[in-house]
Amino acid sequence: MSRMKAFFLEISFLLLTSSYAHDSIKYGYQGGNGADKWGSLSSDFSLCSQGKQQSPINISKNTTIYDPNLKQAPRDYVLTNATLINNGIHILLKYDQGAGNLVLDGKKYAMTQMVWHSPSEHTIDGQSFPVELQLIHESDDNHIAVVAILYQFGSHDAFLLQIQDKLEQLAKDKCTDNQEARIPVGVIQTRALERRSRKYFCYNGSLTTPPCTEGVTWIILGKVREMTKEQASSLAAPLSADYKNNARPVQPINGCTIQLYDELHNAKKTASNKSN
Ligand SMILES: *[C@@H]1O[C@H](CO)[C@@H](O)[C@H](O)[C@H]1NC(C)=O
Ligand SMILES: *[C@@H]1O[C@H](CO)[C@@H](O)[C@H](O)[C@H]1NC(C)=O
Ligand SMILES: *[C@@H]1O[C@H](CO)[C@@H](O)[C@H](O)[C@H]1NC(C)=O
Ligand SMILES: *[C@@H]1O[C@H](CO)[C@@H](O)[C@H](O)[C@H]1NC(C)=O
């Protein structure tokens, strides 16, 4: 009886997961469905070619505007169960419940998932980085704020160490066309990604994947973090050759202002005010 039940559960689980993305249009990063074609793949994707606030962008440090009104953007993450996903395009980690909050301008955004891109999508003074991790936060009124962390090669990333074996398992699970592979990872500690940033860039942009929805607040942390080359490879291993490189090229800035939050700048100012 219970075995029968388990069997049916399994069947419905398979049906659920394989129906994913059947109706959605598969976009890519090169060739016929590459980033320069997204706008023409579906009328729902028209912002990808016609939007005026598209992400990612190239951040020119020279033209960023130091904004004394920007506040620290405190993040407070909690232990939560999560699922590692290969959707055939990216590797994502989805939280079963909100994994804690980001507070921006007094508004609360819950972290719901994160996604890795390689190489980085944002560039700084034209420089690209091997990996960019995007932490996706959503407010109750459906506004999205993304915190982006850039990585260069170096020592181990502590956060990834927690899911290293699951990533290897994901690479063995060959996910067939239009089917996502999911591996529950259990409780995960996201504190490692919470570390306070003394400096960040902030601008109004879009999702970097179709439908390229605008009105997304971007926070690019000034501190570049490190992961080993092996860790970067393990993030690419589950993806097919066409998707190992899954970064959208930088988009025109169209007069968008990039604000800079700089704690040291703030501190200097306070110090000089005091000495005056
Ligand atoms: C940044 O500003 C400095 C000084 O004004 C200038 O020499 C340099 O060429 C600028 N760099 C870029 C990338 O615009
Ligand atoms: C994670 O899931 C397990 C099994 O469902 C549950 O017992 C546990 O309370 C969950 N932990 C958290 C932090 O949500
Ligand atoms: C990015 O910005 C730098 C200046 O900071 C500039 O030299 C470079 O050409 C820009 N690259 C692109 C692709 O826009
Ligand atoms: C983004 O847009 C909002 C609302 O239009 C505005 O208040 C905010 O200053 C903008 N932020 C940046 C960094 O331009």
Side-chain angles (χ1 to χ4, degrees), residues 130-201:
V131 175
E132 176 172 334
L133 172 59
Q134 298 173 355
L135 311 177
I136 310 201
H137 303 75
E138 291 167 49
S139 67
D140 285 340
D141 57 355
N142 301 317
H143 185 201
I144 295 175
V146 186
V147 174
I149 305 177
L150 302 167
Y151 287 84
Q152 61 194 1
F153 292 137
S155 53
H156 276 101
D157 174 50
F159 181 74
L160 271 177
L161 278 180
Q162 295 180 90
I163 53 169
Q164 202 61 43
D165 54 331
K166 305 288 194 231
L167 273 170
E168 283 159 21
Q169 205 179 319
L170 201 61
K172 284 179 202 140
D173 272 10
K174 281 289 157 237
C175 85
T176 50
D177 263 0
N178 291 335
Q179 200 174 317
E180 34 170 60
R182 303 174 144 251
I183 297 181
V185 297
V187 171
I188 192 152
Q189 176 61 272
T190 313
R191 277 271 155 80
L193 299 176
E194 185 185 295
R195 221 178 321 144
R196 215 154 58 94
S197 203
R198 291 182 197 287
K199 202 172 185 178
Y200 65 77
F201 305 102

Side-chain angles (χ1 to χ4, degrees), residues 78-82 96-97 186-188:
V78 295
L79 284 175
T80 317
N81 284 306
D96 301 356
Q97 286 147 13
V187 171
I188 192 152

Side-chain angles (χ1 to χ4, degrees), residues 1-17:
M1 182 64 190
S2 69
R3 192 185 273 180
M4 197 68 165
K5 204 166 164 195
F7 175 76
F8 280 118
L9 275 175
E10 186 135 301
I11 292 279
S12 52
F13 177 74
L14 284 173
L15 287 175
L16 270 177
T17 52

Side-chain angles (χ1 to χ4, degrees), residues 97-110:
Q97 286 147 13
N101 295 311
L102 156 75
V103 178
L104 205 58
D105 275 339
K107 190 159 159 175
K108 223 162 53 173
Y109 296 78

Side-chain angles (χ1 to χ4, degrees), residues 60-63 125:
S60 295
K61 280 191 184 156
N62 263 10
T63 58
D125 286 340

